[in-house]
Amino acid sequence: MRAGDRGSLVFFDRGAHAAVRSSSDPSRLAVALDSTAVSDQITRYGPGLKVAQSILDESDLPNREVVIVSDFQRNGWTGDEGVSFPAGTVVTTVPITDETTPNRSVAGVQLSRTMLAGRERIRVSVRLTREGGEEPEEVPVVLRLDGREIETRSVELGATGSVMVNFEPFTLTSAFTRGSVHLPQDALPKDDQAHFVLSPGRALSVLILEGSGARDEASLYLRRALEIGDGSAFQVSVRSSTSFTETDLQRHAVVVLNDTRFPSGASGARLRSFVEGGGGLLVVLGERSAWRPEADDLLPGRFEAPRDGDRRGASRLGFLEYGHPIFELFSGARSGDFTRARFFRTRPLIPGPDDAVIARFDDGMPALVERRIGDGVVLLWGSTLDSFWNDLAVQPVFLPFVHALVEHLAGQPDPAPWFDAGQVLDLADPDVLASVGPAEGLIPLTEDQVALAPGGGNVPLPSTQGPRFLTLAEQGFYGIREPGSDDERPFSVAVNVEVSESELTPMDPDELAAAVMARDGLTTGGGLPGEVRPEDVERRQSLWRYLLMAALLIFVMETVVSNWLSRLATPKFGDGRGHAVG
């Protein structure tokens, strides 16, 4: 920096902040640089470049320069960030990347829950990846619970590729159990580990009501799908639709009327009260389903007599509301194909004006309709959930679809076993707390509570009046407790780095520099914006004066020479001798 220069230092990851802004003191920049550290958050170039743009826009100095120091990870740049530096800005890129660095990582963790003798069992499966290796290697994979090593598996990782590792199931007995999966550390240690927090007691109880004389396999597929838990565990009971009691309803979060008449009299009234109080009701229509007038104010629309498939032989699902919680899981590419399921028989549904249609058959007829009653939800499905009227039950999407139906009806989101670094939690929001752990494990919020960060420091929480935001900045486990307390199992949150950070493919730095260059900016020989100073403009303007003077001089000289040559070339006559002189 020279006298009169001003410098700014901007750090960026998921967000950005100016550690020093427009300072003429180089020592301030050096101190800020020395006091920072690499964060655990994902790379996003947009926020940092926008802060730089605002600094340049506010500057009244004639010359502007931006120096970008980064590994230029391609995942951090989309191309539509909307950044444009002022014209004439010089952009210098300093890449700090090594494309040859091999990297192995814990790329994904799957937690499957099952019930055994009334207790929850957890199976941990992890996906390991490796990039940039030269030959296969044997590495140990360690599973730890509450800091104690539970199991170690040895696995062979190829030079490039991925492999799945399944650990033995374990019984989950305590709330806020802290789990971790570890690989030996390499040059990029942050993705060599993954953390999660689990709590028992999240099993959803489901009551399936069948009609008298129901087929033996009427609820077979439905029951089997719920008995195989993935993320949530389900406790399933089967009763006759004519013999369930008030106690049965109190013990269950979701009721399924599976191919049976809607209960009448006191049973119907109990079912209506169950829904109004926050319960979920799924009505599966089949051969034995029958409409009752008393269900008109509860069910989401009416249904008619069974209808066979059209002349093509079968109907298919042609529309899904992917914005609805039931189908969000299937909104991504290659996340499940419902169009493969064939429906040979259906019941036409006629929804009410306030009912929501969230799935339709390919002929436009509603397939799944929703109505909210009080604090509860009712879903009406226009076919069976077995192999009798359709083959949906044998499609890969059936199991996650049934789970999504029940979880939506229960209104209890599966607790998130971990969060990504950089996310923010509002600990004063009951819904946020419910997404973290069981209600019985939540501690009352007080003024004195602090969050213990993974690095060991205390993070003060805002007052209990209003939101209480906690920024999950570090990888590891956050615990919330009273100052000085020694709770063995505090309210805990696991934080991991985002998996996409393990994708190290760099972009061309010149591509980024060109994208942020102003459209009317001048470029240097390297293709970057050039520096245009007033003295340069004046120098270029003065050249034209010299060129004009030179052109005028050449014009005068040309005139003189041409006149002289003309006189020499003109013939003279009548010299008195009879000769012509030229």
Side-chain angles (χ1 to χ4, degrees):
M1 293 176 63
R2 299 171 298 181
D5 288 351
R6 293 199 296 269
S8 301
L9 184 61
V10 178
F11 297 118
F12 68 94
D13 41 36
R14 181 191 296 269
H17 74 281
V20 178
R21 194 179 183 102
S22 299
S23 173
S24 59
D25 183 3
S27 63
R28 287 190 59 198
L29 299 170
V31 170
L33 188 60
D34 291 340
S35 61
T36 193
V38 178
S39 81
D40 292 339
Q41 299 188 34
I42 195 170
T43 300
R44 290 291 181 263
Y45 293 97
L49 296 176
K50 287 180 180 178
V51 172
Q53 177 183 333
S54 69
I55 294 174
L56 297 178
D57 289 339
E58 295 170 0
S59 175
D60 55 1
L61 296 180
N63 306 317
R64 298 172 174 86
E65 181 178 7
V66 175
V67 180
I68 306 173
V69 184
S70 173
D71 62 356
F72 292 95
Q73 186 181 18
R74 176 162 292 281
N75 283 346
W77 179 255
T78 63
D80 58 356
E81 281 75 4
V83 178
S84 180
F85 290 157
T89 300
V90 175
V91 179
T92 303
T93 57
V94 183
I96 48 172
T97 183
D98 182 0
E99 298 182 20
T100 62
T101 298
N103 181 48
R104 54 176 176 259
S105 62
V106 181
V109 177
Q110 297 179 0
L111 304 171
S112 301
R113 298 180 185 238
T114 56
M115 299 297 297
L116 180 63
R119 308 186 74 177
E120 288 182 82
R121 300 272 291 173
I122 306 294
R123 177 185 289 275
V124 178
S125 302
V126 298
R127 185 170 67 90
L128 310 178
T129 62
R130 187 179 181 217
E131 296 288 342
E134 296 182 355
E135 58 184 19
E137 64 175 355
E138 195 83 12
V139 296
V141 191
V142 181
L143 172 63
R144 295 193 179 106
L145 294 179
D146 292 328
R148 182 169 56 91
E149 184 175 321
I150 298 298
E151 186 180 357
T152 299
R153 288 292 182 95
S154 182
V155 61
E156 182 178 285
L157 278 173
T160 297
S162 64
V163 64
M164 289 294 298
V165 179
N166 297 313
F167 292 96
E168 290 297 324
F170 61 88
T171 301
L172 184 63
T173 58
S174 302
F176 300 112
T177 298
R178 298 183 176 190
S180 300
V181 177
H182 296 266
L183 284 172
Q185 287 194 358
D186 55 18
L188 297 168
K190 289 295 183 180
D191 59 4
D192 296 334
Q193 54 190 313
H195 309 288
F196 53 88
V197 173
L198 295 171
S199 296
R202 299 296 298 195
L204 297 178
S205 54
V206 181
L207 175 62
I208 300 177
L209 299 178
E210 297 179 342
S212 58
R215 293 174 289 109
D216 293 338
E217 69 277 10
S219 301
L220 175 65
Y221 288 95
L222 182 60
R223 190 179 69 252
R224 290 271 180 90
L226 293 174
E227 288 173 349
I228 304 174
D230 184 8
S232 291
F234 302 91
Q235 293 179 323
V236 183
S237 302
V238 180
R239 298 279 192 280
S240 170
S241 60
T242 60
S243 62
F244 70 93
T245 65
E246 183 71 27
T247 303
D248 290 328
L249 296 180
Q250 293 174 353
R251 292 176 177 174
H252 297 84
V254 176
V255 172
V256 180
L257 280 179
N258 189 26
D259 190 11
T260 185
R261 294 173 176 270
F262 187 84
S264 60
S267 296
R270 284 196 295 267
L271 195 57
R272 182 178 289 101
S273 298
F274 166 77
V275 174
E276 292 174 346
L281 174 62
L282 171 63
V283 180
V284 180
L285 301 179
E287 196 72 41
R288 295 170 176 80
S289 300
W291 173 259
R292 290 184 183 274
E294 55 264 35
D296 191 38
D297 60 346
L298 181 63
L299 299 187
R302 301 191 175 201
F303 54 89
E304 298 178 347
R307 182 187 63 174
D308 293 329
D310 58 22
R311 57 188 176 185
R312 294 173 298 175
S315 298
R316 297 179 187 269
L317 288 172
F319 165 80
L320 302 178
E321 182 57 68
Y322 286 109
H324 193 277
I326 292 176
F327 294 112
E328 279 182 341
L329 175 65
F330 309 99
S331 59
R334 297 184 296 276
S335 58
D337 185 7
F338 279 86
T339 61
R340 297 179 59 183
R342 297 171 299 171
F343 292 82
F344 307 104
R345 209 169 201 209
T346 60
R347 278 188 178 266
L349 305 182
I350 306 173
D354 298 327
D355 300 329
V357 178
I358 55 181
R360 292 181 183 272
F361 294 110
D362 54 5
D363 61 357
M365 184 63 65
L368 184 62
V369 187
E370 178 183 44
R371 175 182 292 183
R372 293 191 172 272
I373 305 293
D375 295 329
V377 180
V378 182
L379 291 174
L380 189 62
W381 173 247
S383 188
T384 61
L385 287 177
D386 55 20
S387 60
F388 192 52
W389 277 13
N390 58 72
D391 62 359
L392 176 64
V394 298
Q395 301 297 331
V397 296
F398 182 71
L399 187 144
F401 173 58
V402 170
H403 288 191
L405 284 172
V406 173
E407 289 170 356
H408 176 65
L409 288 168
Q412 300 178 15
D414 191 44
W418 66 81
F419 295 87
D420 291 328
Q423 289 188 258
V424 179
L425 298 183
D426 180 6
L427 299 177
D429 187 341
D431 292 336
V432 172
L433 295 181
S435 71
V436 176
E440 60 271 18
L442 302 184
I443 56 177
L445 297 177
T446 67
E447 293 279 354
D448 300 329
Q449 284 171 354
V450 296
L452 182 63
N458 287 337
V459 182
L461 297 174
S463 168
T464 54
Q465 301 300 320
R468 306 191 74 189
F469 294 119
L470 172 63
T471 301
L472 306 176
E474 302 178 41
Q475 182 187 34
F477 297 100
Y478 283 80
I480 301 175
R481 63 180 74 193
E482 300 288 344
S485 66
D486 190 22
D487 188 356
E488 293 183 358
R489 293 191 176 275
F491 181 90
S492 301
V493 177
V495 181
N496 292 317
V497 296
E498 291 199 29
V499 176
S500 59
E501 281 295 275
S502 298
E503 176 54 56
L504 304 179
T505 303
M507 65 185 301
D508 184 356
D510 288 346
E511 176 186 343
L512 179 61
V516 299
M517 182 180 63
R519 296 304 180 194
D520 56 348
L522 300 175
T523 61
T524 64
L528 303 182
E531 182 178 4
V532 182
R533 296 176 293 182
E535 52 265 34
D536 295 330
V537 176
E538 181 63 25
R539 186 182 303 111
R540 292 170 184 172
Q541 291 176 346
S542 63
L543 291 176
W544 285 106
R545 289 196 293 269
Y546 292 118
L547 291 174
L548 288 173
M549 292 176 62
L552 179 61
L553 180 61
I554 292 173
F555 176 74
V556 172
M557 291 179 62
E558 181 187 18
T559 303
V560 173
V561 171
S562 63
N563 288 338
W564 179 68
L565 292 176
S566 297
R567 286 195 299 271
L568 291 178
T570 303
K572 297 182 179 180
F573 298 96
D575 60 354
R577 298 180 183 179
H579 299 284
V581 180

